Each structure stands twice: as structure tokens, then as C-alpha cells.
Amino acid sequence: MKHLIDPTDLTKPEIDEIISLAQDIIAHRERYQGSMSHRKLATLFYEPSTRTRLSFTSAMMELGGNVLGFSDARSSSVSKGESVQDTVRVVGCFADVIAMRHHIEGAQLYATEVSTVPIINAGDGSHSHPTQTLTDLLTIQRELGHIDGITIGFCGDLRFGRTVHSLIKALTRYKDIKVILIAPDELKLPDYIKQDVCERTGIPYREVETMEEVMGELDVLYMTRVQKERFLDEDEFDRVKDSFVLDSARMSLAKQEMAVLHPLPRVNEILTEVDSDPRAAYFRQVENGKFVREALIVKLLEWKDDPAHGMPEDEEPIVDPELRCPNRKCICNNEHAPHKFHRAENGVLRCWYCDSKVR
Ligand code: CP
């Protein structure tokens, strides 16, 4: 069965199909109204959300389907101790597809091991956010007319920013991508993305200290919020929270056809004076999220029983009773998920669920 847990669960032709269907939905909305009548989407949100949950809800409504679920797990039997796997087994009796957000990394992957319906990862901790990635790809395509060949600058919290990790993974599917990383030392991109993704697939990347030195090179500037909720140390957050701010003066250094993306919410990293700049694409990006989620729901239900659209072939997990995942926010340190591992191409052993380096 096809789930969407990580952007690499989709082949390039599958990404193309979803983006192309989203564009057709935008052009011919009336054709798709009612196409999901009698189908149900469950939204299980263990962590706050505005855009992702409401855009999934709106997407299913536009398709004529119904939506059930919770936006606060404390109002569900999770508060009585029900596990992620039991919850999805139960909800699979009520819904055709599940969109789940969880603060615990790997929770959705663990859920797929028992689910009878497709699961969509709507964000797991700092790890991954593949439907934001589809939103970002559709936005780049619509703003610039192409994705191949872009130079993209990621700015801000590249350490905890799951949307950054997922988008870089997806960009490995495209040609001639250049990545520029703009972040303070404390918020640099995790090594596993640099080594296992960029270096392994040959995407050139470089790390810089200021926005000014690269603004003129960028086709896309991808701004991010410094994620206070992921810091264990408040002093560390205070040191970096105002690291990079996009204002009109910095925009004047950029190309006329550059696009500014931001997954939102923003705090102070883009001044509101930038909102009226035609290159500010972040509110158009929000609406693209609804269309691309419509396309994703349609495609996942179409592919559900099609062997041509399964999950990527996994290697056998490595299990060693001596080894534990070091990430306390990983599902295997929070529920009874087994500690199991995969070996990256560079030989590093990583957690099966959250990709943390084990040794
Ligand atoms: N972009 C995004 O994931 O926003 P929400 O947290 O509001 O869903």
C-alpha cells in the first residue's frame, strides 16, 4: 500500500503526477468536485497546526468528501494511554485515508506497520514534512515555471526545520539544483542531510554567514522560523532567535524574478513590508497547499491497491540488542517500537524511524 511518510517514498514520475493533477485541479476545479464523495479523511493531529490541518480539511471538502479526527490528542483516548499503532488500527475502521501530525519522530512510519489505510505524514517532530514539500514544489513550479536548474537558499532554522530537510530530499529528484545554506552555527543543517542526501546525490551545497552575500544568486529564498518549541535550552533559543530578518533593503539585492517561500507561521523573520513585494510567494504557497493535498488524496486512493505504486523496497532492518536510538524524541524511545537501524551508503548506522546517527 502507498503511504507518504518521507518525500523519497514518491518516485519522480509520481511527484510529477501529483503536481500535474494539482495544476489541473486549479484550472478545472469543477471537474473534481464530488470526486471523493462518500470517502473519508481522518486528521489526527498530536501537535498544533493551522495550514496543514485546515488545508487537508478544505481539500477533502472541495472534493466532496468528509473529514473526521482530532486537533488535540488530549481530547482523544490518547490521553488514556492509547498507542499510535492502536489509534491508527481503530481510525482505519472509520476512514479511507489518515493524515497524521506527531511531535514524536518516526510515529507515522511506525503507524504504517499496522495500518489498513494509507497514512500521510503531516509532520513528525523535526524530521520530515512531505506534504509541505509537495506544496513547495508546486509553488516553485508556478512561480518560476520550472524546478530543474534552480539555486535555492535556505535561511534560518535548518537544524529543526523539517520542511527544509524534506524539500532538500525531494530536490535530489531534479536536475542541476544548487543549495545555499544560510544559518548560524547552532541552527546548521543536520549532517545526515548534508552527507546522506546532498553529498550522496551530488547536489552542490555551500554554507554562508549572511543573506547579503548570496541574495543576487538565488532563484528561490526559502525562509524559516526559528522553532522555539524544539529547543531544550531557552538561552540557546534567545541567542539565535533573531539571526536573520528579511526586509525590503535585502530584497533590493535579489533578482527581479526570485520567489520568497516560507512554510509559515512566521514570527519576525520576514518583515510585513515584504508582503507587498510581488516576489513574496508565501501566501500563494498556502493556497497551493490545499490544491496539492487534493491531488495527493486522489492519487493515494487511486494507487492504494495498485502494485505499481507500492512503497520503495526497504533493505532488512538491522537489529542489535546492544544498540539504542539516541534521540529521546524518537518513537522507539516513547512507545514499544523496536530499536532497529539502517546503514546509510557512507556506512553510518542510523535509526530506522528518525534517521539519528547511532554509530
Ligand atoms: N506549514 C505548516 O506546516 O504550517 P502549520 O504548522 O500551521 O500546519
Side-chain angles (χ1 to χ4, degrees), residues 266-329:
R266 73 168 152 193
V267 183
N268 60 349
E269 61 280 359
I270 302 181
L271 297 191
T272 52
E273 68 188 25
V274 178
D275 295 358
S276 56
D277 189 305
R279 296 168 290 184
Y282 31 92
F283 289 112
R284 295 190 288 277
Q285 186 181 358
V286 173
E287 196 177 19
N288 288 333
K290 179 186 70 174
F291 296 121
V292 93
R293 289 181 175 103
E294 283 185 54
L296 177 65
I297 292 167
V298 169
K299 285 290 163 194
L300 281 185
L301 291 177
E302 184 184 310
W303 293 338
K304 182 174 178 234
D305 299 314
D306 182 349
H309 292 282
M311 294 296 276
E313 286 293 311
D314 264 331
E315 75 266 43
E316 276 298 301
I318 297 164
V319 180
D320 178 340
E322 301 288 306
L323 296 176
R324 318 297 288 171
C325 172
N327 176 7
R328 60 198 235 203
K329 293 183 177 170

Side-chain angles (χ1 to χ4, degrees), residues 48-52 101 129 132 263-265:
S49 166
T50 297
R51 273 145 296 275
T52 310
R101 171 170 289 190
H129 193 349
Q132 181 65 46
L264 303 180

Side-chain angles (χ1 to χ4, degrees), residues 45 47-55 101 122-123 129 131-132 135-136 162-163 222 225 229-230 262-265 285-286 293:
F45 276 63
E47 191 185 57
S49 166
T50 297
R51 273 145 296 275
T52 310
R53 189 176 66 81
L54 296 181
S55 65
R101 171 170 289 190
H129 193 349
T131 67
Q132 181 65 46
T135 303
D136 301 339
R162 59 193 173 194
T163 65
Y222 195 97
R225 172 179 68 93
E229 66 276 22
R230 312 273 180 224
H262 189 313
L264 303 180
Q285 186 181 358
V286 173
R293 289 181 175 103

Side-chain angles (χ1 to χ4, degrees), residues 78-114:
V78 172
S79 62
K80 301 173 200 163
E82 190 158 47
S83 68
V84 166
Q85 285 200 338
D86 282 359
T87 301
V88 301
R89 274 181 207 253
V90 169
V91 174
C93 302
F94 309 140
D96 301 291
V97 55
I98 295 173
M100 183 196 289
R101 171 170 289 190
H102 210 300
H103 50 281
I104 297 296
E105 297 174 16
Q108 293 88 337
L109 179 58
Y110 184 49
T112 62
E113 293 173 9
V114 297

